[in-house]
Amino acid sequence: MVEALPDGRIRVPGRMPVDDAAAALQAIWDTDASTVGGMITAALGHLPVPDERVIVGDYEFEVERVAERAVESVLARAIAPSDSERAGG
């Protein structure tokens, strides 16, 4: 389950299926990963460490916990597209 935090971020379990997380956050992510942790790892290109950040789609993800070479949880924050993205690049 995702957990809304008081500061507006959303805690997402790393083992959560990408499709379930996308539905919960009303997002669309183009990824071959099956879990949120896998998506974050693929986006970074290496095993993440806590406090590392990456943007996927309209969300910034901050790695919260990593254990036994797996992402346990991330903090998601919706971001607004930049002006260049709105202008088409």
Side-chain angles (χ1 to χ4, degrees):
M1 290 298 259
V2 298
E3 176 187 358
L5 302 176
D7 65 4
R9 294 181 299 174
I10 301 164
R11 179 174 287 127
V12 182
R15 293 186 180 142
M16 179 176 243
V18 169
D19 292 342
D20 292 351
L25 300 178
Q26 300 179 353
I28 299 172
W29 299 310
D30 183 20
T31 181
D32 292 330
S34 58
T35 65
V36 171
M39 179 179 73
I40 300 306
T41 300
L44 287 167
H46 60 267
L47 181 66
V49 296
D51 299 324
E52 212 167 353
R53 296 172 191 247
V54 65
I55 294 174
V56 179
D58 290 341
Y59 279 85
E60 178 185 61
F61 292 93
E62 178 182 345
V63 177
E64 184 177 35
R65 287 190 305 268
V66 177
E68 298 180 19
R69 299 187 51 82
V71 176
E72 281 196 344
S73 68
V74 297
L75 302 174
R77 179 179 66 87
I79 57 172
S82 69
D83 291 340
S84 63
E85 289 172 340
R86 278 190 293 247

